[in-house]
Amino acid sequence: VEVGPWKHKVDSGIELRQSGFECLYTMLDTCLTKLDIQELITQVASGLADDYDIQIKNHLILIRLAKMAGDALRGGLEPLIEPLKVTITTVPKEQAVAQVVERNNELIRSALRSVHAINQISDLDNAKWIDFMKGTVEQGDIEAIYQEIVNPPANK
């Protein structure tokens, strides 16, 4: 939609996708044994490349999945690496307003919380995941944010 000199993208399917991922999140609690975890991982990977709110929901799904079905998640990590890497390394434009910068930072923190949850899975020896950790998460400013998540500062 064009509004004067600006173009505004209208996503008419976002509510439907949000509801779908809400259902998946709920199903992890209610009927995990009936879910095809590999198909779920495929859907989560697509959600990790979606809109802000959907990405946040998918990070929560990953955290819950890591806690409840870590063994199954361990075998399906590879499709998750690239969308997580894109989210973690995204930098807002230099002239971005404060709200956009804060949303981007919150999205990075959310992705890093899901990465931390995945790292809690025992016997995690996926070579691509280890490369992702060393090459992306354990580098520069991202490492500092990740360490705050792993070792939160004590409340004063």
Side-chain angles (χ1 to χ4, degrees):
V1 176
E2 289 187 33
V3 181
W6 298 280
K7 290 185 180 181
H8 178 69
K9 222 191 288 186
V10 176
D11 185 354
S12 58
I14 193 165
E15 290 87 9
L16 187 60
R17 292 193 312 278
Q18 270 185 308
S19 296
F21 285 112
E22 280 286 337
C23 288
L24 287 176
Y25 184 74
T26 303
M27 289 168 64
L28 289 175
D29 275 341
T30 58
C31 56
L32 178 66
T33 58
K34 295 184 180 6
L35 293 175
D36 178 357
I37 301 298
Q38 296 311 311
E39 181 60 31
L40 176 67
I41 291 170
T42 302
Q43 296 308 315
V44 169
S46 72
L48 290 173
D50 208 318
D51 187 65
Y52 171 84
D53 294 324
I54 294 174
Q55 286 185 43
I56 296 286
K57 178 55 66 182
N58 279 278
H59 295 150
L60 294 173
I61 290 171
L62 279 178
I63 291 168
R64 185 169 283 179
L65 195 56
K67 290 177 183 174
M68 299 176 78
D71 292 339
L73 181 58
R74 183 180 3 168
L77 284 177
E78 291 185 21
L80 302 173
I81 294 172
E82 192 57 34
L84 284 170
K85 183 176 185 177
V86 168
T87 299
I88 290 169
T89 59
T90 298
V91 178
K93 295 178 182 175
E94 199 170 295
Q95 65 268 24
V97 295
Q99 182 182 7
V100 171
V101 172
E102 184 54 37
R103 281 178 64 114
N104 184 64
N105 290 339
E106 182 54 40
L107 195 58
I108 291 170
R109 286 189 295 272
S110 177
L112 290 173
R113 283 190 290 274
S114 65
V115 166
H116 177 60
I118 292 169
N119 279 330
Q120 302 305 305
I121 299 171
S122 62
D123 299 326
L124 188 62
D125 58 355
N126 184 302
K128 289 185 180 183
W129 183 262
I130 293 168
D131 289 344
F132 163 69
M133 288 300 297
K134 289 180 182 175
T136 305
V137 177
E138 296 172 354
Q139 299 291 319
D141 294 339
I142 301 297
E143 182 178 25
I145 298 168
Y146 183 68
Q147 287 306 317
E148 285 180 14
I149 292 166
V150 172
N151 304 310
N155 292 337
K156 293 183 180 180

